[in-house]
Amino acid sequence: MVSRFYVTTPIYYVNAEPHLGHAYTTIVGDALTRWHRLLGDDVLYLTGTDEHGLKIRQAADAAGLSPKEFCDSIAPKFADAWERLDIANDDFIRTTEPRHHAAVTELLQRCYDAGDIELDTYSGKYCVACEEYYTDEELLEGDNCPIHKRPVDHFEEENYFFRLSRFQDRLLDWYAAHPGAIVPEFRGNEALGLIRGGLRDFSVSRTSLDWGIRLPWDDRHVAYVWFDALTNYLSATGFGDPSVDYTERWPVDYHLIGKDIIRHHCVYWPAMLMSAGVDLPKGWAVGGWLLVDGEKMAKSTGNVVNPLDLVDTVGVDGFRYYVLAETSYGSDGDFSYDGLVARYNSDLANNLGNLASRVATVVGKSCGGIGPAPRDDSPLAAAAATAVADTSAAWDAVTPSRALEATWSLIRATNAFLEANEPWKMTPGADLDAVMGDALEALRIVTLLAWPAVPSTADAIWARLGLDGSVADRRLPGDARWGGYPGGLTVTKGDPLFPRIRS
Ligand SMILES: [Zn+2]
């Protein structure tokens, strides 16, 4: 039976263009889902854009456009950026789509019918940029927003509230029964801490807002951010469409999120689903921030890095590799241009690129350009088996940096094997063929394991080894077993895969 694997990124708010932070999470999701594609899983990888709310209305007004026109001008920039970064998402959802409208309406109605959404009056201090009310203790001197450091507004309005306060015990019981649902574990502990700290009801509607989805039972109110945004993960499964069985795709295997949205994804969202009688997600994988000069990248701090500018320097795969390998997923990473170039030169130019080039050069010179078959009892076979097992375990645990470390251990072992045997000094014959057959086979396995991170490079090496088709058509673990390189294939050298960059 084919197993299904469903992964989501947060939907990105279209008040700004795609930046490094967006790219980071989206590349992690892409590599993770590519790994599962190699396993033969039926993958659904979802990303998209969040297009409702006051900030969009304001940005549209400033641009002299209607909100929908404004969203239509920004959403394609995300879709284009992901295409340029080789993101193989299966679906791209926009919260202005009818299917999303249907899902939000259905979820709201279910929670309302369950008695967990009730009308109340809200008055408080509200930051428009955060779309959050703040308590006096949370505000800075002079009633300034702690994030934006500018004055908040006093709002008073009739709101519907979701009774989150009723869900504390149920959430704690659920998480106790599902240990490891949130990875890494320390991020799971943060979520539990938020729940144990006490839960406040949260507002799910606004009357002051017109750019959004109206509540099905009271059209004076428009759904406020959380019921609108979070529900996208269900919309893509067909939830709310009576002709579709959404449980064919739901529950999701992993929501990939940043650490700043743990409260909404790991506390609000499961409570909303419980209320609505919908199964909870199987997992959440929480990433840290990629900091630039020690600060979170944000429009307001002026340190926004456009990922597409970096691609011009290190290539798409160089950039993908860096963001996956440099930072342990879950922890904060510090992005720097020097770090990007250093990692490119060491891991890609000197290790992977050099291995591919050496192997092709020696086969070209001393084997007539025809790759020999590997030995069954090769000294590299054990290193290959370990790399396959460790890479696999690391992807299972959603730890891309460890997966790549495991894959690169086979590259290092193969380079060391070549340095020990010095095939470039050997005379053509059986001994040389044995060494080169082993190296070709190790490189073939590396190519399979590295494909999720560096897909176009992997496909290029695959073709240079003389192998048919694309890596995408291979299946693990079977195709990564030692001995798969048949020998007798034409090996080509080609241009350097990763020309060194002078730093
Ligand atoms: Zn704020």
Side-chain angles (χ1 to χ4, degrees), residues 204-440:
V204 303
S205 75
R206 291 284 186 277
T207 51
S208 53
L209 186 69
D210 63 348
W211 179 236
I213 297 169
R214 296 197 176 274
L215 301 191
W217 64 89
D218 185 345
D219 68 6
R220 296 169 303 146
H221 287 255
V222 163
Y224 172 65
V225 54
W226 305 118
F227 263 84
D228 188 329
L230 292 164
T231 308
N232 89 84
Y233 306 129
L234 275 174
S235 310
T237 68
F239 182 81
D241 178 345
S243 70
V244 174
D245 178 8
Y246 78 96
T247 63
E248 288 193 0
R249 278 299 182 183
W250 190 264
V252 66
D253 290 270
Y254 283 105
H255 287 313
L256 298 182
I257 61 169
K259 66 176 186 177
D260 50 327
I261 48 177
I262 288 178
R263 178 188 299 277
H264 314 109
H265 281 77
C266 306
V267 183
Y268 290 15
W269 179 231
M272 290 155 61
L273 295 171
M274 280 177 179
S275 171
V278 174
D279 284 346
L280 269 53
K282 291 184 209 162
W284 294 257
V286 183
W289 287 338
L290 277 195
L291 305 174
V292 177
D293 303 325
E295 283 198 67
K296 191 193 179 198
M297 197 176 332
K299 225 178 162 183
S300 54
T301 54
N303 62 350
V304 176
V305 176
N306 183 337
L308 301 179
D309 295 343
L310 302 167
V311 164
D312 293 339
T313 309
V314 294
V316 171
D317 283 352
F319 177 64
R320 291 172 57 105
Y321 179 80
Y322 171 76
V323 300
L324 292 165
E326 181 72 8
T327 302
S328 165
Y329 191 69
S331 304
D332 287 341
D334 211 347
F335 174 85
S336 75
Y337 182 79
D338 290 347
L340 174 71
V341 170
R343 208 169 246 287
Y344 171 93
N345 280 335
S346 68
D347 292 8
L348 297 176
N350 290 357
N351 275 299
L352 178 55
N354 190 29
L355 174 60
S357 152
R358 277 169 151 177
V359 167
T361 300
V362 177
V363 170
K365 272 191 190 150
S366 305
C367 309
I370 304 299
R375 292 173 284 192
D376 289 341
D377 58 349
S378 167
L380 282 174
T386 302
V388 172
D390 291 352
T391 301
S392 183
W395 283 118
D396 274 352
V398 199
T399 52
S401 61
R402 278 178 36 214
L404 293 175
E405 183 58 39
T407 300
W408 256 248
S409 73
L410 180 55
I411 298 174
R412 282 188 276 271
T414 310
N415 274 322
F417 168 80
L418 290 173
E419 275 145 30
N421 285 282
E422 299 187 306
W424 39 85
K425 292 184 181 169
M426 292 167 75
T427 47
D431 289 349
L432 173 66
D433 285 354
V435 169
M436 294 320 295
D438 291 353
L440 285 161

Side-chain angles (χ1 to χ4, degrees), residues 55 126-132 134 139 144-152:
K55 273 189 280 186
Y126 183 80
C127 174
V128 169
C130 293
E131 301 198 32
E132 288 274 14
Y134 283 101
L139 291 170
N144 283 311
C145 165
I147 311 277
H148 294 93
K149 309 194 167 60
R150 60 184 196 218
V152 292

Side-chain angles (χ1 to χ4, degrees), residues 414-500:
T414 310
N415 274 322
F417 168 80
L418 290 173
E419 275 145 30
N421 285 282
E422 299 187 306
W424 39 85
K425 292 184 181 169
M426 292 167 75
T427 47
D431 289 349
L432 173 66
D433 285 354
V435 169
M436 294 320 295
D438 291 353
L440 285 161
E441 171 61 348
L443 183 56
R444 186 192 69 87
I445 293 171
V446 162
T447 303
L448 291 169
L449 300 181
W451 180 76
V454 290
S456 54
T457 301
D459 278 332
I461 298 174
W462 193 257
R464 290 177 188 196
L465 293 176
L467 294 158
D468 282 339
S470 149
V471 177
D473 304 325
R474 301 295 104 206
R475 288 296 165 260
L476 301 184
D479 285 335
R481 244 171 248 133
W482 186 265
Y485 188 72
L489 306 179
T490 301
V491 174
T492 44
K493 183 153 185 238
D495 293 332
L497 293 164
F498 299 104
R500 271 189 75 83

